[in-house]
Amino acid sequence: VIPDQFRGYNYIEMIESICPQVPQLRKVFVVGKEVPQSMVSLSRITQQPIEDKYPKNYLEKMRYKPTEVSLINSTTGTAGLPKFAEYPMCARLTVGKGVIDALHINSDDVIAALSPAPTGPNILVYFVAPIAADKVVFLERFTAEEALKLLQKERVTIACVVPAHLALMLQHPTLERYDLSSLRALWCTGSELPYQVGKEFEDRTGAKVVNNYGGVDFGGIVSTGVNDHRDVRLLTVGVPRSWTEIKLVDEAEQEVLRGEVGE
């Protein structure tokens, strides 16, 4: 699944150049206006009334089994070589249920992904929205102004952010001109959240910043919640999520005592 072009790079030409080396590749879906006949236009698909062609239970046979891998995600390589992490469906459901509980998410929520990666804060898009049947909106390339426009236009209720996003939106000279009254929470992860940044964003917008921690290899493991006291949300990464067990170990992989440093 590719865009036709993005940031000046032609993805269609890229795929066409590698197709001869990948004979098992049967379908290429393209987001964009210029789609070759050999590829499938996503825009065209969304305009076709497939309900008239297939029975209502057609997708039932496509369901993932609980232990079947349903997502392959890539790490950034900041702590070593980049690698792929496999997520079985039961892991996605477990992580997703924990986030739904922390944010009190329901089907009326609109979730915005302000960063492009399928990792970090955007686990709401891939793990939560499919369970809660939420609308999802994407920001193609982050700038503070484009983010604020998207939040206002789409009446976003939950935004997926890293601390730098909050800082940049706070620096925007016309932040208060945007109607962010629909925004009730910001799911924040990826790096340490400066307390003053979280506090100022809450004071100026009325939305709550929810801090959490996890990793691509194992998903999210701890988080704060929308009902937690502000100091808990901004100064900690919360408690283990539903159905999650955690232990801290030393370099010899022996469990450390409460209050000691471990990983």
Side-chain angles (χ1 to χ4, degrees):
V1 182
I2 60 169
D4 50 2
Q5 293 195 38
F6 185 61
R7 294 190 181 184
Y9 187 82
N10 191 313
Y11 281 82
I12 290 176
E13 290 181 358
M14 178 193 74
I15 289 292
E16 288 177 336
S17 70
I18 66 173
C19 273
Q21 307 166 53
V22 192
Q24 70 271 27
L25 183 61
R26 294 186 293 112
K27 297 286 185 182
V28 178
F29 297 84
V30 182
V31 180
K33 297 179 180 178
E34 302 298 326
V35 183
Q37 287 296 320
S38 60
M39 300 182 184
V40 182
S41 166
L42 275 177
S43 297
R44 198 177 306 131
I45 286 178
T46 60
Q47 296 166 9
Q48 295 173 346
I50 61 171
E51 295 85 355
D52 297 339
K53 187 176 179 181
Y54 300 98
K56 289 184 178 180
N57 64 347
Y58 182 76
L59 292 179
E60 290 294 325
K61 61 182 179 181
M62 310 292 186
R63 286 183 181 273
Y64 288 106
K65 298 179 178 67
T67 57
E68 187 176 4
V69 172
S70 63
L71 174 69
I72 300 177
N73 221 339
S74 59
T75 67
T76 58
T78 52
L81 288 174
K83 52 191 175 294
F84 287 112
E86 296 179 339
Y87 288 86
M89 178 52 73
C90 55
R92 291 177 66 184
L93 291 172
T94 301
V95 173
K97 179 63 167 60
V99 177
I100 288 172
D101 292 344
L103 293 177
H104 294 181
I105 290 174
N106 59 54
S107 59
D108 294 327
D109 280 306
V110 178
I111 298 173
L114 300 189
S115 58
T119 56
N122 289 345
I123 64 166
L124 270 73
V125 173
Y126 300 91
F127 289 56
V128 173
I131 303 173
D134 287 326
K135 176 182 177 179
V136 173
V137 293
F138 289 89
L139 186 62
E140 199 167 82
R141 188 174 186 177
F142 182 88
T143 67
E145 185 168 359
E146 288 303 314
L148 293 168
K149 285 180 180 177
L150 182 76
L151 297 176
Q152 174 180 271
K153 176 186 175 183
E154 299 290 346
R155 304 297 295 163
V156 171
T157 61
I158 301 173
C160 306
V161 298
V162 296
H165 290 146
L166 300 180
L168 289 168
M169 286 189 282
L170 285 173
Q171 293 169 16
H172 195 277
T174 60
L175 169 63
E176 271 73 20
R177 294 184 188 174
Y178 290 92
D179 179 7
L180 304 182
S181 58
S182 63
L183 191 64
R184 65 180 184 86
L186 297 107
W187 183 253
C188 187
T189 191
S191 62
E192 185 176 348
L193 170 67
Y195 179 83
Q196 194 57 38
V197 169
K199 180 180 181 299
E200 183 180 351
F201 199 92
E202 290 193 351
D203 290 343
R204 293 176 65 183
T205 66
K208 292 182 177 180
V209 179
V210 178
N211 211 6
N212 70 99
Y213 172 79
V216 173
D217 312 67
F218 44 79
I221 55 172
V222 294
S223 70
T224 58
V226 286
N227 288 343
D228 288 335
H229 185 276
R230 175 145 79 179
D231 284 354
V232 173
R233 287 185 285 100
L234 303 185
L235 291 172
T236 81
V237 289
V239 297
R241 295 197 192 134
S242 309
W243 308 307
T244 301
E245 294 181 357
I246 297 172
K247 67 178 179 180
L248 294 181
V249 299
D250 58 22
E251 291 184 359
E253 297 194 6
Q254 298 300 308
E255 195 165 351
V256 299
L257 299 175
R258 180 183 292 273
E260 293 184 1
V261 175
E263 64 173 36

